Amino acid sequence: MRLVFFLILISASLTAQNLHLKVNAHEVEMEVFMLYIGEVSKYGDITYELYDLSAQSSLDLPYTSSMVLGVDSTSQVISSFEGIFDPLQGMYWTWQNGYIAVKMEGKYLGEEFVYHLGGFREPFVCYHIIELAEHSLLTIDLDAFFESLPSDISRHIMSPGSEAKTVFDTFVSNVLLD
Amino acid sequence: MIITLCAVLVFGVSQGKRWFTPLAQPQAYKLNPPKYFGDMVYDISSNPLTAEGIALGRALFYDPILSLDSTISCATCHSSYTAFSHVDHALSHGIGDTLGTRNALPIQNVGWHKTFRWDGGLTHLDAQVMAPLHNATEMASNLPLVFKRLRHSDYYPALFEAAFGDTSISTRRFIDALVQFQLILISNNAKYDSVRRGEAKFTAQEKKGFKLFKRNCASCHEPPLFMNNDFTSNNLPVDSSLMDLGRYRVTQRPQDSLLFKTPSLRNIEYTYPYMHDGRFNTIYEVLDHYDANVMALSDEEQTEIYAFLLTLSDYSYIRNPDFAFPH
């Protein structure tokens, strides 16, 4: 049985020491919403978290000066296959290497969408660095994301490539800092 | 109290009694590939081989419970008797007689491969393990289902315990075991290898064939592994029913259209049909194709290359009882 989330405005707020991540949405029936987010240490190491809307309370985000959305290419190719990188999490492509950066499934304005966005090969890399500076609120605005998608873009994208890159770029452009 | 405990242990040992059951340590397994193969690509320190790990991997490899309807195993498309290829099948078959889009590549010397599958979509042997398990036209299965079956089986928990110290079944252990078994599948005992080791000599025909091979084929099929870990055009027109554009599927770069991974030619005698879609049934058909498009060989020269290619047949590999179905 799949859980269905009806997100109206602020649907999820991830309480953390210093950094809050929330998801805004109207008219979205979100069945699946998962993404990899990584905290970059001052030494450049990345500690990844898997944000799963259906298990939001499990996520805690300590403040760092920069974060990443998606998974770096090294971790894509040489994986531990454990913990949040266990393919059992449903974020691993099996017909090729790599992890889905953002997984969204549901309906927008009554129309079904399935977006499995990711990829680590140029020029379609789905990996984004966020410099947080002094900001402490990270808002993923799904309303704006869907509104700003190109009208001719497919609602079913499950492979890396140009379309996935377009949708991913639209997604990250709607990750707002406050 | 500590002194008392020590005394009990010492007493126990001195009386020849066993006070506890010591954990059996998995036995380390050492690969012994020929030096001329060069360094393995796979980092074996990340997954040290053990006899127990290999035994578990072998059991999994031959077990159809990995597939959704428990009808096909890895060995269905990778038979040990044909160098772990799917002989006589142009395209691999999945559950319910579903037909794939590519010819199953043989499994041999995989520790030296940098990429896997005809399009190189997988760049690590660990990742390759899961591809056929999830593919809808192969096993069409999934890890949670497989793990549930393994946990409820009569013998897998014990095999996992023997290999890894306890009965826990995880993705990491599942992958490690299957990889361990595949890493021992080293083919290095063909006549070519005997010649290389100075134990045999090519016939005059084979020798001429090797010379021709080096001039016409070896830039892609580089000895001693007879592959180059790269992608090349095989000059074949695309099959309109399959529309397989090879490497392009992974990179989406126009220049990668119709490039396919260069397969190893070791054991080519056993691995027919040939090419990514299995469109050629014989080695001579392949030679004719390249003769018409790339090379210009006389019939005699084709025969000489053919004679050399047969020196890559490793009968001891395809008949190794340690690689066959575990009884």
Side-chain angles (χ1 to χ4, degrees), chain B residues 89 103 116 128 136 160 162 175 188 210 247 260 269 299 308:
Chain B
H89 287 76
N103 181 257
F116 300 86
Q128 165 60 25
F160 273 84
I175 290 172
N188 64 347
F210 190 27
R247 183 70 175 154
F260 292 91
E269 179 184 4
D299 287 349
F308 169 70

Side-chain angles (χ1 to χ4, degrees), chain A residues 22-175:
Chain A
K22 67 178 183 180
V23 179
N24 286 352
H26 283 294
E27 307 289 341
V28 177
E29 299 172 39
M30 192 67 83
E31 294 184 31
V32 177
F33 184 78
M34 299 169 76
L35 66 88
Y36 281 107
I37 188 166
E39 305 133 26
V40 185
S41 77
K42 60 182 179 181
Y43 305 108
D45 302 326
I46 305 174
T47 303
Y48 285 101
E49 316 276 356
L50 177 58
Y51 172 44
D52 182 350
L53 189 61
S54 67
Q56 54 190 295
S57 60
S58 65
L59 188 65
D60 185 28
L61 293 173
Y63 181 84
T64 55
S65 59
S66 61
M67 306 199 73
V68 297
L69 291 178
V71 180
D72 67 282
S73 60
T74 302
S75 301
Q76 297 264 16
V77 174
I78 304 172
S79 173
S80 66
F81 294 114
E82 293 176 324
I84 62 167
F85 288 120
D86 192 323
L88 290 172
Q89 302 282 1
M91 294 291 277
Y92 191 77
W93 277 297
T94 53
W95 55 274
Q96 67 158 28
N97 286 76
Y99 289 89
I100 298 164
V102 183
K103 188 175 190 177
M104 291 182 278
E105 297 177 11
K107 285 183 180 176
Y108 175 63
L109 300 179
E111 187 181 1
E112 184 185 87
F113 64 85
V114 178
Y115 288 139
H116 297 178
L117 311 174
F120 63 93
R121 291 181 173 89
E122 293 288 355
F124 307 120
V125 178
C126 292
Y127 181 69
H128 181 69
I129 300 171
I130 303 169
E131 297 298 340
L132 290 170
E134 300 300 317
H135 299 289
S136 60
L137 180 63
L138 201 63
T139 304
I140 298 174
D141 194 335
L142 292 179
D143 294 334
F145 161 69
F146 278 105
E147 285 167 15
S148 53
L149 277 176
S151 59
D152 59 345
I153 201 81
S154 173
R155 292 296 197 214
H156 295 84
I157 298 173
M158 289 164 280
S159 302
S162 60
E163 282 202 308
K165 174 68 172 164
T166 298
V167 176
F168 182 79
D169 287 347
T170 307
F171 177 82
V172 298
S173 69
N174 289 289
V175 177

Side-chain angles (χ1 to χ4, degrees), chain B:
Chain B
M1 183 179 163
I2 292 173
I3 295 170
T4 308
L5 180 61
C6 290
V8 168
L9 286 173
V10 171
F11 176 78
V13 170
S14 68
Q15 297 300 307
K17 295 177 182 175
R18 179 169 287 176
W19 295 94
F20 59 93
T21 303
L23 285 173
Q25 292 295 317
Q27 292 186 326
Y29 183 99
K30 185 169 168 45
L31 289 177
N32 193 25
K35 285 184 179 171
Y36 56 83
F37 273 21
D39 294 334
M40 281 179 73
V41 172
Y42 190 88
D43 177 12
I44 211 156
S45 68
S46 68
N47 183 14
L49 305 191
T50 64
E52 292 79 2
I54 292 164
L56 170 59
R58 185 180 175 193
L60 292 168
F61 187 88
Y62 282 95
D63 199 329
I65 70 168
L66 268 59
S67 61
L68 182 65
D69 61 0
S70 298
T71 57
I72 67 170
S73 69
C74 304
T76 303
C77 293
H78 299 284
S79 166
S80 64
Y81 301 111
T82 55
F84 294 91
S85 67
H86 200 183
V87 73
D88 209 24
H89 287 76
L91 304 173
S92 59
H93 291 202
I95 64 165
D97 286 336
T98 52
L99 202 58
T101 59
R102 289 172 176 160
N103 181 257
L105 283 160
I107 300 174
Q108 53 188 350
N109 307 328
V110 290
W112 284 265
H113 287 239
K114 291 180 179 172
T115 61
F116 300 86
R117 302 173 75 81
W118 283 102
D119 57 24
L122 297 159
T123 58
H124 201 289
L125 182 55
D126 290 354
Q128 165 60 25
V129 165
M130 287 175 290
L133 190 132
H134 288 89
N135 190 314
T137 60
E138 295 182 60
M139 292 180 170
S141 189
N142 60 77
L143 289 173
L145 173 70
V146 171
F147 290 176
K148 185 178 178 184
R149 289 174 178 171
L150 296 177
R151 289 181 183 117
H152 286 90
S153 83
D154 292 336
Y155 48 91
Y156 275 111
L159 290 179
F160 273 84
E161 183 175 23
F164 300 111
D166 61 60
T167 59
S168 174
I169 295 174
S170 68
T171 307
R172 182 73 264 170
R173 289 177 171 185
F174 178 79
I175 290 172
D176 283 352
L178 272 164
V179 166
Q180 285 191 34
F181 174 62
Q182 290 176 74
L183 283 173
I184 71 166
L185 303 179
I186 295 175
S187 176
N188 64 347
N189 205 24
K191 181 174 182 180
Y192 168 84
D193 298 292
S194 299
V195 172
R196 184 112 190 195
R197 291 193 293 262
E199 299 164 1
K201 287 186 176 178
F202 287 136
T203 65
Q205 190 183 41
E206 291 164 350
K207 205 170 182 177
K208 285 180 184 174
F210 190 27
K211 200 172 177 181
L212 286 165
F213 180 88
K214 284 191 279 191
R215 190 190 308 156
N216 293 285
C217 317
S219 61
C220 296
H221 301 283
E222 297 171 13
L225 295 166
F226 295 88
M227 62 176 193
N228 64 354
N229 268 318
D230 206 348
F231 305 89
T232 45
S233 167
N234 53 24
N235 290 293
L236 288 171
V238 67
D239 183 319
S240 59
S241 65
L242 299 173
M243 285 308 295
D244 186 355
L245 300 181
R247 183 70 175 154
Y248 176 81
R249 183 190 180 208
V250 173
T251 67
Q252 295 197 5
R253 297 190 308 175
Q255 62 267 39
D256 289 337
S257 181
L258 292 175
L259 300 189
F260 292 91
K261 183 179 176 180
T262 308
S264 170
L265 299 186
R266 281 184 172 269
N267 292 305
I268 188 172
E269 179 184 4
Y270 309 128
T271 62
Y272 65 94
Y274 306 108
M275 317 307 277
H276 62 281
D277 52 13
R279 70 177 71 181
F280 296 141
N281 286 316
T282 68
I283 294 174
Y284 275 114
E285 284 180 68
V286 180
L287 289 172
D288 282 342
H289 162 68
Y290 284 119
D291 200 14
N293 291 277
V294 184
M295 307 181 287
L297 301 172
S298 66
D299 287 349
E300 186 179 357
E301 287 174 325
Q302 273 202 17
T303 304
E304 288 163 353
I305 288 184
Y306 179 81
F308 169 70
L309 291 175
L310 295 189
T311 72
L312 304 180
S313 300
D314 183 352
Y315 188 78
S316 68
Y317 180 68
I318 66 169
R319 291 290 170 174
N320 189 329
D322 293 337
F323 301 161
F325 186 87
H327 295 287

